[in-house]
Amino acid sequence: MSGPVSTVDAPADQADTGHPEPPCLEVSDSREATVGAIRVRRALPRRGRRTVGAWCFADHMGPADVTENSGLDIGPHPHIGLQTVTWLTDGQVLHRDSLGSEQVIKPGQLNLMTSGSAVSHAEEATGHYRGTLEGIQMWTALPEATRHGAPAFEHHAELPRADLDGGSGAATVLLGDFGGLSSPARHDTPLVGVELDLRAPVTVPLRPDWEYALVVLRGAVAVRDQPLHPGRLGYLGEGRDELPLDVREPTRVMLIGGEPFPEPILMWWNFVGRNREEIDAAYASWARQDDRFGRVESSLPLIPAKAPYWQRTPGDR
């Protein structure tokens, strides 16, 4: 689930912000890719839409069949400048990282890893779970105030969950505040991430000074008669204080949003930086396997990084 981001997803010519828009429904197709052994649909970043608040990455993975010893199979790889937010709708995954964390995540639980200046991790089969695997991994870009800090890992076995008005469904708050609920998970900028499990039309509260987007995981919703299905990002802009959602079938959708992220970011592979020099330094550390990213106790092989495209000759790009 963890990357890699390439120039297909977001141009790496220069650092850029997300360019918030007035209220809208801007629909873009996800890009299908294979990460580890699993098919994913990458909804964010897209060309022209790099961030939604601090959210800068969203991979909807699966559904896929996995076994006790074969699942995501994503070997140790590095991160800088971001948080990984992992949420499953089905199945189990084992997380290992260079902090020594070893944690199985199940549906309804949250794994949150803050890279700070450097961390590495792997995502593996659990050794005991066999069945269907589906979920989403998202990244948030860290602000200048914390992106050079120490790495950290959190696992939240329970999150705030409440029924929505009229029996239309339920909301689970992964990060931030929503509808009077507050997640215990760390967030370094004003933002929200909430899963809406819907059975009927509903109106959800928003903040007019924040921008938002929807990623449908199952089913479908409509915003002002415009349908949104899995495999697409529905960018909503800013300026709304509520959002009516038309729902005609059981639907699970991620609502992400936040204060527009003011700092231009540059994304390459598994790195979120501010300029090419930062990306080059991170790549060089991983390539020579110095001590910057630590070690992950994993049986899977390290994932090598190609040099950033600006370091390569035209024939190697």
Side-chain angles (χ1 to χ4, degrees), residues 207-233:
R207 289 185 49 159
D209 54 332
W210 285 10
E211 59 178 343
Y212 293 88
L214 297 170
V215 181
V216 177
L217 304 180
R218 298 179 188 172
V221 299
V223 178
R224 293 186 177 178
D225 297 323
Q226 291 183 262
L228 187 63
H229 300 276
R232 293 184 169 183
L233 175 78

PDB file of all heavy atoms in Angstrom, residues 207-233:
ATOM      1  N   ARG A 207     -16.805  21.950   7.529  1.00  0.00           N
ATOM      2  CA  ARG A 207     -16.311  23.287   7.899  1.00  0.00           C
ATOM      3  C   ARG A 207     -16.082  24.090   6.628  1.00  0.00           C
ATOM      4  O   ARG A 207     -15.338  23.637   5.742  1.00  0.00           O
ATOM      5  CB  ARG A 207     -15.013  23.174   8.692  1.00  0.00           C
ATOM      6  CG  ARG A 207     -15.179  22.632  10.086  1.00  0.00           C
ATOM      7  CD  ARG A 207     -13.868  22.659  10.860  1.00  0.00           C
ATOM      8  NE  ARG A 207     -13.189  23.951  10.775  1.00  0.00           N
ATOM      9  CZ  ARG A 207     -12.267  24.387  11.639  1.00  0.00           C
ATOM     10  NH1 ARG A 207     -11.924  23.602  12.653  1.00  0.00           N
ATOM     11  NH2 ARG A 207     -11.690  25.548  11.490  1.00  0.00           N
ATOM     12  N   PRO A 208     -16.687  25.269   6.504  1.00  0.00           N
ATOM     13  CA  PRO A 208     -16.554  26.023   5.247  1.00  0.00           C
ATOM     14  C   PRO A 208     -15.138  26.503   4.950  1.00  0.00           C
ATOM     15  O   PRO A 208     -14.820  26.803   3.803  1.00  0.00           O
ATOM     16  CB  PRO A 208     -17.521  27.195   5.431  1.00  0.00           C
ATOM     17  CG  PRO A 208     -17.750  27.295   6.902  1.00  0.00           C
ATOM     18  CD  PRO A 208     -17.625  25.912   7.444  1.00  0.00           C
ATOM     19  N   ASP A 209     -14.267  26.557   5.970  1.00  0.00           N
ATOM     20  CA  ASP A 209     -12.891  27.010   5.747  1.00  0.00           C
ATOM     21  C   ASP A 209     -11.958  25.853   5.405  1.00  0.00           C
ATOM     22  O   ASP A 209     -10.757  26.057   5.245  1.00  0.00           O
ATOM     23  CB  ASP A 209     -12.365  27.752   6.969  1.00  0.00           C
ATOM     24  CG  ASP A 209     -12.484  26.949   8.271  1.00  0.00           C
ATOM     25  OD1 ASP A 209     -13.398  26.094   8.359  1.00  0.00           O
ATOM     26  OD2 ASP A 209     -11.688  27.188   9.198  1.00  0.00           O
ATOM     27  N   TRP A 210     -12.490  24.630   5.287  1.00  0.00           N
ATOM     28  CA  TRP A 210     -11.696  23.466   4.915  1.00  0.00           C
ATOM     29  C   TRP A 210     -12.099  22.967   3.541  1.00  0.00           C
ATOM     30  O   TRP A 210     -13.220  23.207   3.075  1.00  0.00           O
ATOM     31  CB  TRP A 210     -11.917  22.335   5.917  1.00  0.00           C
ATOM     32  CG  TRP A 210     -11.236  22.534   7.244  1.00  0.00           C
ATOM     33  CD1 TRP A 210     -10.631  23.660   7.704  1.00  0.00           C
ATOM     34  CD2 TRP A 210     -11.121  21.548   8.281  1.00  0.00           C
ATOM     35  NE1 TRP A 210     -10.130  23.450   8.966  1.00  0.00           N
ATOM     36  CE2 TRP A 210     -10.418  22.164   9.341  1.00  0.00           C
ATOM     37  CE3 TRP A 210     -11.536  20.236   8.415  1.00  0.00           C
ATOM     38  CZ2 TRP A 210     -10.123  21.483  10.526  1.00  0.00           C
ATOM     39  CZ3 TRP A 210     -11.242  19.563   9.591  1.00  0.00           C
ATOM     40  CH2 TRP A 210     -10.539  20.180  10.642  1.00  0.00           C
ATOM     41  N   GLU A 211     -11.193  22.252   2.890  1.00  0.00           N
ATOM     42  CA  GLU A 211     -11.514  21.564   1.642  1.00  0.00           C
ATOM     43  C   GLU A 211     -11.690  20.075   1.938  1.00  0.00           C
ATOM     44  O   GLU A 211     -11.124  19.554   2.900  1.00  0.00           O
ATOM     45  CB  GLU A 211     -10.434  21.792   0.583  1.00  0.00           C
ATOM     46  CG  GLU A 211      -9.046  21.324   0.983  1.00  0.00           C
ATOM     47  CD  GLU A 211      -8.002  21.521  -0.098  1.00  0.00           C
ATOM     48  OE1 GLU A 211      -8.377  21.724  -1.263  1.00  0.00           O
ATOM     49  OE2 GLU A 211      -6.797  21.465   0.231  1.00  0.00           O
ATOM     50  N   TYR A 212     -12.458  19.401   1.067  1.00  0.00           N
ATOM     51  CA  TYR A 212     -12.811  18.002   1.311  1.00  0.00           C
ATOM     52  C   TYR A 212     -12.786  17.204   0.021  1.00  0.00           C
ATOM     53  O   TYR A 212     -12.844  17.750  -1.084  1.00  0.00           O
ATOM     54  CB  TYR A 212     -14.219  17.894   1.918  1.00  0.00           C
ATOM     55  CG  TYR A 212     -14.366  18.452   3.305  1.00  0.00           C
ATOM     56  CD1 TYR A 212     -14.682  19.802   3.500  1.00  0.00           C
ATOM     57  CD2 TYR A 212     -14.200  17.645   4.427  1.00  0.00           C
ATOM     58  CE1 TYR A 212     -14.830  20.324   4.781  1.00  0.00           C
ATOM     59  CE2 TYR A 212     -14.351  18.161   5.710  1.00  0.00           C
ATOM     60  CZ  TYR A 212     -14.665  19.497   5.881  1.00  0.00           C
ATOM     61  OH  TYR A 212     -14.795  20.002   7.145  1.00  0.00           O
ATOM     62  N   ALA A 213     -12.743  15.867   0.204  1.00  0.00           N
ATOM     63  CA  ALA A 213     -12.875  14.952  -0.925  1.00  0.00           C
ATOM     64  C   ALA A 213     -13.491  13.651  -0.424  1.00  0.00           C
ATOM     65  O   ALA A 213     -13.448  13.337   0.773  1.00  0.00           O
ATOM     66  CB  ALA A 213     -11.529  14.681  -1.591  1.00  0.00           C
ATOM     67  N   LEU A 214     -14.045  12.879  -1.361  1.00  0.00           N
ATOM     68  CA  LEU A 214     -14.639  11.578  -1.080  1.00  0.00           C
ATOM     69  C   LEU A 214     -13.907  10.496  -1.861  1.00  0.00           C
ATOM     70  O   LEU A 214     -13.575  10.694  -3.036  1.00  0.00           O
ATOM     71  CB  LEU A 214     -16.114  11.555  -1.481  1.00  0.00           C
ATOM     72  CG  LEU A 214     -17.063  12.506  -0.748  1.00  0.00           C
ATOM     73  CD1 LEU A 214     -18.418  12.512  -1.450  1.00  0.00           C
ATOM     74  CD2 LEU A 214     -17.219  12.102   0.712  1.00  0.00           C
ATOM     75  N   VAL A 215     -13.680   9.353  -1.211  1.00  0.00           N
ATOM     76  CA  VAL A 215     -13.180   8.159  -1.882  1.00  0.00           C
ATOM     77  C   VAL A 215     -14.137   7.027  -1.534  1.00  0.00           C
ATOM     78  O   VAL A 215     -14.194   6.593  -0.376  1.00  0.00           O
ATOM     79  CB  VAL A 215     -11.748   7.798  -1.448  1.00  0.00           C
ATOM     80  CG1 VAL A 215     -11.265   6.560  -2.209  1.00  0.00           C
ATOM     81  CG2 VAL A 215     -10.787   8.965  -1.676  1.00  0.00           C
ATOM     82  N   VAL A 216     -14.912   6.562  -2.500  1.00  0.00           N
ATOM     83  CA  VAL A 216     -15.878   5.487  -2.261  1.00  0.00           C
ATOM     84  C   VAL A 216     -15.143   4.147  -2.280  1.00  0.00           C
ATOM     85  O   VAL A 216     -14.412   3.839  -3.225  1.00  0.00           O
ATOM     86  CB  VAL A 216     -16.992   5.504  -3.319  1.00  0.00           C
ATOM     87  CG1 VAL A 216     -17.955   4.331  -3.093  1.00  0.00           C
ATOM     88  CG2 VAL A 216     -17.759   6.824  -3.260  1.00  0.00           C
ATOM     89  N   LEU A 217     -15.348   3.357  -1.243  1.00  0.00           N
ATOM     90  CA  LEU A 217     -14.736   2.038  -1.150  1.00  0.00           C
ATOM     91  C   LEU A 217     -15.682   0.946  -1.634  1.00  0.00           C
ATOM     92  O   LEU A 217     -15.254  -0.009  -2.285  1.00  0.00           O
ATOM     93  CB  LEU A 217     -14.299   1.758   0.297  1.00  0.00           C
ATOM     94  CG  LEU A 217     -13.352   2.790   0.927  1.00  0.00           C
ATOM     95  CD1 LEU A 217     -13.019   2.389   2.350  1.00  0.00           C
ATOM     96  CD2 LEU A 217     -12.094   2.969   0.096  1.00  0.00           C
ATOM     97  N   ARG A 218     -16.965   1.069  -1.307  1.00  0.00           N
ATOM     98  CA  ARG A 218     -17.985   0.117  -1.751  1.00  0.00           C
ATOM     99  C   ARG A 218     -19.281   0.871  -1.998  1.00  0.00           C
ATOM    100  O   ARG A 218     -19.587   1.838  -1.294  1.00  0.00           O
ATOM    101  CB  ARG A 218     -18.229  -0.970  -0.697  1.00  0.00           C
ATOM    102  CG  ARG A 218     -17.034  -1.837  -0.366  1.00  0.00           C
ATOM    103  CD  ARG A 218     -17.384  -2.862   0.704  1.00  0.00           C
ATOM    104  NE  ARG A 218     -16.203  -3.577   1.175  1.00  0.00           N
ATOM    105  CZ  ARG A 218     -16.200  -4.411   2.215  1.00  0.00           C
ATOM    106  NH1 ARG A 218     -17.329  -4.641   2.871  1.00  0.00           N
ATOM    107  NH2 ARG A 218     -15.091  -5.030   2.587  1.00  0.00           N
ATOM    108  N   GLY A 219     -20.056   0.404  -2.956  1.00  0.00           N
ATOM    109  CA  GLY A 219     -21.331   1.034  -3.232  1.00  0.00           C
ATOM    110  C   GLY A 219     -21.170   2.287  -4.072  1.00  0.00           C
ATOM    111  O   GLY A 219     -20.281   2.373  -4.931  1.00  0.00           O
ATOM    112  N   ALA A 220     -22.006   3.294  -3.818  1.00  0.00           N
ATOM    113  CA  ALA A 220     -21.960   4.534  -4.597  1.00  0.00           C
ATOM    114  C   ALA A 220     -22.708   5.618  -3.839  1.00  0.00           C
ATOM    115  O   ALA A 220     -23.644   5.349  -3.084  1.00  0.00           O
ATOM    116  CB  ALA A 220     -22.573   4.329  -5.976  1.00  0.00           C
ATOM    117  N   VAL A 221     -22.286   6.863  -4.047  1.00  0.00           N
ATOM    118  CA  VAL A 221     -23.013   8.024  -3.543  1.00  0.00           C
ATOM    119  C   VAL A 221     -23.217   8.989  -4.703  1.00  0.00           C
ATOM    120  O   VAL A 221     -22.568   8.874  -5.753  1.00  0.00           O
ATOM    121  CB  VAL A 221     -22.258   8.747  -2.404  1.00  0.00           C
ATOM    122  CG1 VAL A 221     -22.061   7.838  -1.216  1.00  0.00           C
ATOM    123  CG2 VAL A 221     -20.917   9.288  -2.889  1.00  0.00           C
ATOM    124  N   ALA A 222     -24.120   9.934  -4.498  1.00  0.00           N
ATOM    125  CA  ALA A 222     -24.318  10.990  -5.482  1.00  0.00           C
ATOM    126  C   ALA A 222     -24.320  12.328  -4.758  1.00  0.00           C
ATOM    127  O   ALA A 222     -24.880  12.457  -3.660  1.00  0.00           O
ATOM    128  CB  ALA A 222     -25.618  10.802  -6.249  1.00  0.00           C
ATOM    129  N   VAL A 223     -23.659  13.316  -5.355  1.00  0.00           N
ATOM    130  CA  VAL A 223     -23.630  14.685  -4.855  1.00  0.00           C
ATOM    131  C   VAL A 223     -24.328  15.540  -5.898  1.00  0.00           C
ATOM    132  O   VAL A 223     -23.833  15.676  -7.023  1.00  0.00           O
ATOM    133  CB  VAL A 223     -22.190  15.161  -4.607  1.00  0.00           C
ATOM    134  CG1 VAL A 223     -22.186  16.617  -4.132  1.00  0.00           C
ATOM    135  CG2 VAL A 223     -21.477  14.267  -3.604  1.00  0.00           C
ATOM    136  N   ARG A 224     -25.481  16.072  -5.536  1.00  0.00           N
ATOM    137  CA  ARG A 224     -26.278  16.871  -6.473  1.00  0.00           C
ATOM    138  C   ARG A 224     -26.472  16.127  -7.794  1.00  0.00           C
ATOM    139  O   ARG A 224     -26.199  16.655  -8.885  1.00  0.00           O
ATOM    140  CB  ARG A 224     -25.637  18.237  -6.702  1.00  0.00           C
ATOM    141  CG  ARG A 224     -25.658  19.122  -5.455  1.00  0.00           C
ATOM    142  CD  ARG A 224     -25.150  20.511  -5.728  1.00  0.00           C
ATOM    143  NE  ARG A 224     -25.250  21.358  -4.547  1.00  0.00           N
ATOM    144  CZ  ARG A 224     -24.833  22.628  -4.487  1.00  0.00           C
ATOM    145  NH1 ARG A 224     -24.292  23.186  -5.566  1.00  0.00           N
ATOM    146  NH2 ARG A 224     -24.960  23.328  -3.379  1.00  0.00           N
ATOM    147  N   ASP A 225     -26.908  14.897  -7.674  1.00  0.00           N
ATOM    148  CA  ASP A 225     -27.247  14.034  -8.805  1.00  0.00           C
ATOM    149  C   ASP A 225     -26.040  13.577  -9.612  1.00  0.00           C
ATOM    150  O   ASP A 225     -26.208  12.895 -10.628  1.00  0.00           O
ATOM    151  CB  ASP A 225     -28.256  14.712  -9.756  1.00  0.00           C
ATOM    152  CG  ASP A 225     -29.580  14.995  -9.072  1.00  0.00           C
ATOM    153  OD1 ASP A 225     -29.999  14.159  -8.244  1.00  0.00           O
ATOM    154  OD2 ASP A 225     -30.181  16.044  -9.353  1.00  0.00           O
ATOM    155  N   GLN A 226     -24.832  13.922  -9.182  1.00  0.00           N
ATOM    156  CA  GLN A 226     -23.642  13.422  -9.857  1.00  0.00           C
ATOM    157  C   GLN A 226     -23.130  12.194  -9.108  1.00  0.00           C
ATOM    158  O   GLN A 226     -22.767  12.283  -7.937  1.00  0.00           O
ATOM    159  CB  GLN A 226     -22.545  14.485  -9.900  1.00  0.00           C
ATOM    160  CG  GLN A 226     -22.857  15.672 -10.799  1.00  0.00           C
ATOM    161  CD  GLN A 226     -21.688  16.633 -10.842  1.00  0.00           C
ATOM    162  OE1 GLN A 226     -21.653  17.652 -10.141  1.00  0.00           O
ATOM    163  NE2 GLN A 226     -20.703  16.323 -11.669  1.00  0.00           N
ATOM    164  N   PRO A 227     -23.115  11.024  -9.765  1.00  0.00           N
ATOM    165  CA  PRO A 227     -22.726   9.791  -9.069  1.00  0.00           C
ATOM    166  C   PRO A 227     -21.219   9.701  -8.875  1.00  0.00           C
ATOM    167  O   PRO A 227     -20.433  10.225  -9.669  1.00  0.00           O
ATOM    168  CB  PRO A 227     -23.228   8.692 -10.000  1.00  0.00           C
ATOM    169  CG  PRO A 227     -23.204   9.320 -11.358  1.00  0.00           C
ATOM    170  CD  PRO A 227     -23.544  10.768 -11.146  1.00  0.00           C
ATOM    171  N   LEU A 228     -20.843   9.011  -7.804  1.00  0.00           N
ATOM    172  CA  LEU A 228     -19.430   8.765  -7.520  1.00  0.00           C
ATOM    173  C   LEU A 228     -19.305   7.305  -7.101  1.00  0.00           C
ATOM    174  O   LEU A 228     -19.929   6.864  -6.140  1.00  0.00           O
ATOM    175  CB  LEU A 228     -18.942   9.686  -6.404  1.00  0.00           C
ATOM    176  CG  LEU A 228     -17.447   9.683  -6.096  1.00  0.00           C
ATOM    177  CD1 LEU A 228     -16.648  10.175  -7.291  1.00  0.00           C
ATOM    178  CD2 LEU A 228     -17.151  10.553  -4.875  1.00  0.00           C
ATOM    179  N   HIS A 229     -18.484   6.560  -7.862  1.00  0.00           N
ATOM    180  CA  HIS A 229     -18.316   5.127  -7.654  1.00  0.00           C
ATOM    181  C   HIS A 229     -16.881   4.822  -7.225  1.00  0.00           C
ATOM    182  O   HIS A 229     -15.993   5.677  -7.341  1.00  0.00           O
ATOM    183  CB  HIS A 229     -18.631   4.371  -8.944  1.00  0.00           C
ATOM    184  CG  HIS A 229     -20.030   4.573  -9.444  1.00  0.00           C
ATOM    185  ND1 HIS A 229     -21.095   3.845  -8.974  1.00  0.00           N
ATOM    186  CD2 HIS A 229     -20.533   5.439 -10.377  1.00  0.00           C
ATOM    187  CE1 HIS A 229     -22.197   4.233  -9.577  1.00  0.00           C
ATOM    188  NE2 HIS A 229     -21.898   5.201 -10.436  1.00  0.00           N
ATOM    189  N   PRO A 230     -16.609   3.603  -6.754  1.00  0.00           N
ATOM    190  CA  PRO A 230     -15.225   3.218  -6.458  1.00  0.00           C
ATOM    191  C   PRO A 230     -14.337   3.396  -7.691  1.00  0.00           C
ATOM    192  O   PRO A 230     -14.782   3.215  -8.824  1.00  0.00           O
ATOM    193  CB  PRO A 230     -15.351   1.739  -6.076  1.00  0.00           C
ATOM    194  CG  PRO A 230     -16.734   1.616  -5.534  1.00  0.00           C
ATOM    195  CD  PRO A 230     -17.563   2.545  -6.372  1.00  0.00           C
ATOM    196  N   GLY A 231     -13.086   3.774  -7.432  1.00  0.00           N
ATOM    197  CA  GLY A 231     -12.153   3.997  -8.530  1.00  0.00           C
ATOM    198  C   GLY A 231     -12.051   5.444  -8.955  1.00  0.00           C
ATOM    199  O   GLY A 231     -11.365   5.756  -9.928  1.00  0.00           O
ATOM    200  N   ARG A 232     -12.700   6.322  -8.202  1.00  0.00           N
ATOM    201  CA  ARG A 232     -12.630   7.742  -8.525  1.00  0.00           C
ATOM    202  C   ARG A 232     -12.483   8.568  -7.251  1.00  0.00           C
ATOM    203  O   ARG A 232     -12.909   8.154  -6.178  1.00  0.00           O
ATOM    204  CB  ARG A 232     -13.892   8.193  -9.276  1.00  0.00           C
ATOM    205  CG  ARG A 232     -14.009   7.581 -10.658  1.00  0.00           C
ATOM    206  CD  ARG A 232     -15.193   8.122 -11.406  1.00  0.00           C
ATOM    207  NE  ARG A 232     -15.157   7.737 -12.802  1.00  0.00           N
ATOM    208  CZ  ARG A 232     -16.053   8.122 -13.708  1.00  0.00           C
ATOM    209  NH1 ARG A 232     -17.055   8.907 -13.342  1.00  0.00           N
ATOM    210  NH2 ARG A 232     -15.944   7.733 -14.956  1.00  0.00           N
ATOM    211  N   LEU A 233     -11.873   9.739  -7.401  1.00  0.00           N
ATOM    212  CA  LEU A 233     -11.785  10.727  -6.331  1.00  0.00           C
ATOM    213  C   LEU A 233     -12.804  11.815  -6.616  1.00  0.00           C
ATOM    214  O   LEU A 233     -12.854  12.354  -7.726  1.00  0.00           O
ATOM    215  CB  LEU A 233     -10.379  11.333  -6.268  1.00  0.00           C
ATOM    216  CG  LEU A 233     -10.197  12.481  -5.265  1.00  0.00           C
ATOM    217  CD1 LEU A 233     -10.071  11.929  -3.852  1.00  0.00           C
ATOM    218  CD2 LEU A 233      -8.972  13.328  -5.603  1.00  0.00           C
TER     219      LEU A 233
END
